[in-house]
Amino acid sequence: MQTIVGWHVDIEFSEDEDTGKTKASCLVRLPDGTELRGHGRAKRHPDDMGQQRVGEEIAAARALNELCRNLMRKAGHEIEEVTHIPAHIAM
């Protein structure tokens, strides 16, 4: 039997058009009640034209990358709790 499980990742942005800085925060709530977060930033070069979407994409990618590392760390700790052997999870 196949079970389908879904997780939703929320991403929120804050932007300062004057400085060209974009921040992204992401959150995933796992079925065990754990909430994991990631944060990312992007900064537009002063000579570049303003493209809000590009800053959001870069900041989101960096936030999701941090979220990924946090999720891998959590999984490693859970493996270690059961096996009592250091887990080395590759990306």
Side-chain angles (χ1 to χ4, degrees):
M1 178 202 280
Q2 183 180 13
T3 303
I4 298 175
V5 176
W7 296 353
H8 295 277
V9 178
D10 294 315
I11 304 176
E12 293 182 353
F13 300 96
S14 64
E15 300 170 82
D16 184 336
E17 292 182 23
D18 295 333
T19 63
K21 293 181 182 179
T22 303
K23 296 178 185 177
S25 298
C26 62
L27 166 71
V28 64
R29 289 180 184 93
L30 303 178
D32 68 1
T34 302
E35 291 185 352
L36 295 176
R37 299 174 190 275
H39 303 280
R41 296 173 185 257
K43 185 173 187 300
R44 184 182 73 235
H45 188 278
D47 295 339
D48 291 342
M49 60 186 273
Q51 292 183 322
Q52 180 177 353
R53 181 180 46 84
V54 174
E56 289 174 353
E57 290 170 352
I58 293 169
R62 290 174 174 161
L64 290 167
N65 185 285
E66 182 179 328
L67 178 65
C68 177
R69 292 191 312 270
N70 292 339
L71 188 56
M72 295 290 279
R73 191 175 305 113
K74 179 183 184 307
H77 289 306
E78 290 176 355
I79 291 168
E80 292 172 355
E81 286 177 0
V82 173
T83 64
H84 305 290
I85 298 171
H88 304 284
I89 302 174
M91 285 273 246

